[in-house]
Amino acid sequence: AIKMDLLHSNGVLIIQHLQRDYRAYQDFLNFMSHVGDPRNIFSIYFPLWFQLNQVVGTKMIWVAVIGDWFNLIFKWILFGHRPYWWVQETMIYPNQSSPCLEQFPITCETGPGSPSGHAMGSSCVWYVMVTAALSYTVRWKDKSAVTLHRLTWSFLWSIFWIIQIIVCISRVFIATHFPHQVILGVFAGILVAEAFEHTPAIQTASLRIYIKTNLFLFVFALGFYLVLKLLDIDLLWSVPKAKKWCANPDWINIDTTPFAGLVRNLGALFGLGLGINSEMFIMSCKGKNSCKISFRILCIAASLAMLQLYNFVKIPTHTEYLFYILSFCKSAAMPLTVVALVPYCVHSLMRTAEKKLN
């Protein structure tokens, strides 16, 4: 406990330093914190990559969902505090002179803090993207191509680490994580992504496998929660702390609670399985138009546009269980739209246009 308090107090000093000396970069750091948001995987990265390479797109969803599930379990095990409430409750500062940490609209996360979900999600999805991009260049055999591959390797991994470092700094800057929590998140995300580099079976998974995986993830997480609750250990201990110490009650969002993230991820995985095993996917993404650049570009543009429209759909939060059900449905609709609905519509339009030309 003493070592952890020392780690936290040193983390607070780093946060104060960042908030004092990097205030000019406040808007940029807040933006980078949004960049690391795991929800961007489903609304931005996945639509782009799935149409370019279905193997990479599928892997991205699996990595994001399993990574976020492990993040939830780790958070429940590690009981990590967040800086914005820890400084208010710790007894290590003399005479009640606790440090003043500035809060922002995105500071008041309600789940435990370790490891960082943003850092873990960002590192796992960027790891998938970088390794996928490098897989194209590793096939080059002549000497000039080998040199180009090495330069590309250095450039992409440099970009990877620059993005991870900035995302980590942004999460520490807004006082929602201690430095050790974001570092743990980055390396945990890399481990999850690397594990899926050696799991090709997900590419041929049936809808039954998707449903079984969903059920296992949900039952395990819920069972873990209920067993510890029977032992008088409340895994939602962080929610009242967030509500108590958040500077603005309006910044508290049910979407940041542990079960909200679990439901969102299960919905995304189910939607992917439903889409990949649908007739619409087979007719469009496996048909003759799927190899055309115009088909892929239209699918990417239409998917991104549709998913942005989904962001305008606000789920009511007055009833918690209703929120979880609707959140699951909305999350399932997003990959289903990208994988099946949009490609099928584009395929139908292109086929109609070809018939008119003929």
Side-chain angles (χ1 to χ4, degrees):
I2 295 176
K3 289 182 178 179
M4 189 57 68
D5 282 341
L6 181 62
L7 190 63
H8 286 160
S9 62
N10 288 333
V12 169
L13 293 176
I14 294 174
I15 296 170
Q16 288 181 304
H17 168 70
L18 291 174
Q19 292 187 344
R20 182 181 65 250
D21 297 341
Y22 289 81
R23 182 161 301 280
Y25 305 100
Q26 175 180 323
D27 292 339
F28 172 70
L29 291 173
N30 283 332
F31 169 75
M32 288 305 298
S33 185
H34 284 295
V35 168
D37 193 331
R39 285 170 288 195
N40 289 331
I41 299 171
F42 309 119
S43 61
I44 298 176
Y45 303 133
F46 171 66
L48 288 170
W49 272 97
F50 187 81
Q51 303 305 337
L52 297 175
N53 188 315
Q54 293 171 10
V55 172
V56 177
T58 302
K59 185 193 298 181
M60 190 175 290
I61 292 291
W62 277 89
V63 166
V65 170
I66 301 301
D68 210 41
W69 183 83
F70 273 116
N71 182 263
L72 172 65
I73 300 301
F74 287 151
K75 282 182 174 179
W76 278 349
I77 293 173
L78 297 177
F79 279 75
H81 290 274
R82 294 187 184 270
Y84 75 92
W85 77 57
W86 181 82
V87 294
Q88 303 292 341
E89 296 188 343
T90 183
M91 302 300 293
I92 71 169
Y93 297 107
N95 302 322
Q96 304 298 319
S97 57
S98 59
C100 180
L101 299 181
E102 184 176 355
Q103 296 184 24
F104 303 88
I106 55 176
T107 295
C108 299
E109 299 272 352
T110 57
S114 186
S116 167
H118 280 64
M120 191 168 175
S122 175
S123 65
C124 72
V125 72
W126 278 92
Y127 188 93
V128 169
M129 289 192 290
V130 168
T131 53
L134 290 175
S135 67
Y136 289 102
T137 63
V138 76
R139 303 166 191 166
W140 301 338
K141 299 299 182 182
D142 56 276
K143 290 184 178 180
S144 60
V146 170
T147 302
L148 182 59
H149 168 71
R150 289 174 179 172
L151 290 173
T152 305
W153 188 94
S154 300
F155 173 75
L156 290 179
W157 283 118
S158 296
I159 293 296
F160 171 86
W161 284 110
I162 289 171
I163 290 174
Q164 304 320 310
I165 289 171
I166 296 176
V167 168
C168 289
I169 291 174
S170 71
R171 300 301 289 172
V172 175
F173 174 84
I174 64 174
T176 199
H177 284 295
F178 291 103
H180 70 277
Q181 295 173 343
V182 292
I183 293 171
L184 179 59
V186 168
F187 287 102
I190 292 174
L191 287 175
V192 171
E194 178 60 27
F196 275 89
E197 292 293 319
H198 310 285
T199 314
I202 60 174
Q203 302 299 332
T204 56
S206 64
L207 181 58
R208 180 177 294 181
I209 296 298
Y210 278 90
I211 293 174
K212 285 182 177 180
T213 303
N214 257 17
L215 287 174
F216 171 78
L217 296 178
F218 177 74
V219 170
F220 186 96
L222 182 62
F224 188 71
Y225 169 79
L226 293 176
V227 167
L228 290 185
K229 191 172 183 179
L230 289 174
L231 298 175
D232 204 26
I233 300 175
D234 183 15
L235 293 180
L236 300 181
W237 60 273
S238 60
V239 177
K241 288 183 181 292
K243 292 179 178 179
K244 180 179 181 180
W245 297 114
C246 184
N248 187 338
D250 294 335
W251 295 347
I252 296 290
N253 192 337
I254 190 175
D255 201 32
T256 66
T257 58
F259 279 112
L262 176 65
V263 170
R264 183 172 58 247
N265 289 312
L266 295 181
L269 188 62
F270 177 72
L272 175 65
L274 201 61
I276 285 181
N277 291 279
S278 68
E279 286 295 326
M280 288 191 293
F281 171 76
I282 295 171
M283 291 177 63
S284 54
C285 294
K286 296 295 184 181
K288 62 178 182 179
N289 285 328
S290 61
C291 298
K292 297 179 180 179
I293 298 298
S294 57
F295 173 80
R296 296 186 180 188
I297 292 175
L298 286 172
C299 285
I300 290 173
S303 296
L304 289 173
M306 284 290 293
L307 295 186
Q308 294 312 307
L309 291 177
Y310 283 160
N311 290 333
F312 289 104
V313 178
K314 300 300 180 184
I315 300 175
T317 58
H318 57 276
T319 305
E320 191 171 0
Y321 292 112
L322 177 62
F323 171 83
Y324 290 145
I325 294 172
L326 294 178
S327 180
F328 178 90
C329 294
K330 179 181 176 181
S331 299
M334 295 175 73
L336 183 61
T337 298
V338 174
V339 171
L341 182 60
V342 166
Y344 180 76
C345 291
V346 173
H347 168 75
S348 299
L349 290 172
M350 292 181 69
R351 187 174 56 181
T352 303
E354 289 173 357
K355 287 181 179 179
K356 288 182 179 179
L357 291 174
N358 293 330

